[in-house]
Structures are given as structure tokens and as C-alpha cells.
Amino acid sequence: IVAIPTSIILAREIAVSALREWMAQRGLRDSVKVGYKGKVKTALTMVSITLCLLLEVTPIFKKVADATTTPSFNTAVAPWAIGMLWLSAYITIDSGLVYFRAAAPVLLEKE
């Protein structure tokens, strides 16, 4: 349930980082500068990952988890954490498309 949005986020980060580096080598770094959607995506991803880390995942750590979490905490927070992770994946795709659209003229030009 978390593997798909996590993979989307990771793939976008790699692709946009490579795109920015490539554009910087061409002297066009400003055309793919960080935008507002990217900042929202980063903040939302950080909050959702933090919430996911607070959840009790396996019974092996039950004694440790009992000191910090309760079933009601997990029940209340898990849907929010997963929902925010999926929303973050959506914003990830949307913001990634913004960067690639901005770079499209350079990517598609013939040398």
C-alpha cells in the first residue's frame, strides 16, 4: 500500500535531479528552478513519512511500541498517513510534469 506512492516519489526525485543537473550543464538552470508545487510536495512527503514511522508495524517491536503508540493512535493516524502519502505522490507527478514541460524545448531540440 505504500510501495507504489513511494516508488513514484523516488523515481520523480531521481528524474528531476538528473534533469536539473543536465540543464545546469547547458547553462539553463533557471528554467527548472524549484517551484511552489515542489515545496508543497516536499513538506507533505515529510509529514506523511513521519506519521508512517510513528505507526506500529510489526508485533516484534510491540513492547517498544506500547510505550509510544496505542491501537487507537494507529487506527486514527494510519489513514491520514497513507492518504497524505498518496496525495504527495499525486503532487509529485504534477510537479514533475511542470519541470519537464519547462525543459521540453531544450529536450526536444535537434542538435
Side-chain angles (χ1 to χ4, degrees), residues 51 54-56 68-79:
L51 290 175
L54 291 174
L55 299 174
E56 178 183 346
T68 58
T69 62
T70 62
S72 60
F73 175 83
N74 286 338
T75 304
V77 174

Side-chain angles (χ1 to χ4, degrees), residues 52-90:
C52 286
L53 290 172
L54 291 174
L55 299 174
E56 178 183 346
V57 179
T58 60
I60 296 170
F61 301 110
K62 183 127 178 75
K63 289 183 182 182
V64 175
D66 283 343
T68 58
T69 62
T70 62
S72 60
F73 175 83
N74 286 338
T75 304
V77 174
W80 285 97
I82 302 302
M84 287 172 41
L85 189 62
W86 277 96
L87 180 60
S88 181
Y90 172 77

Side-chain angles (χ1 to χ4, degrees), residues 12 18 24 29 59 62 107-108:
R12 181 263 191 201
R29 175 175 235 123
K62 183 127 178 75
L107 288 170
L108 299 175

Side-chain angles (χ1 to χ4, degrees), residues 4-67:
I4 294 170
T6 303
S7 299
I8 291 169
I9 293 167
L10 184 60
R12 181 263 191 201
E13 291 301 321
I14 293 168
V16 170
S17 294
L19 176 66
R20 282 194 185 127
E21 184 65 30
W22 182 74
M23 293 292 281
Q25 289 176 356
R26 299 181 69 105
L28 301 168
R29 175 175 235 123
D30 287 340
S31 63
V32 287
K33 62 185 175 186
V34 176
Y36 181 73
K37 286 182 183 180
K39 292 181 184 290
V40 170
K41 179 223 38 111
T42 300
L44 191 60
T45 301
M46 288 181 181
V47 171
S48 64
I49 289 172
T50 300
L51 290 175
C52 286
L53 290 172
L54 291 174
L55 299 174
E56 178 183 346
V57 179
T58 60
I60 296 170
F61 301 110
K62 183 127 178 75
K63 289 183 182 182
V64 175
D66 283 343

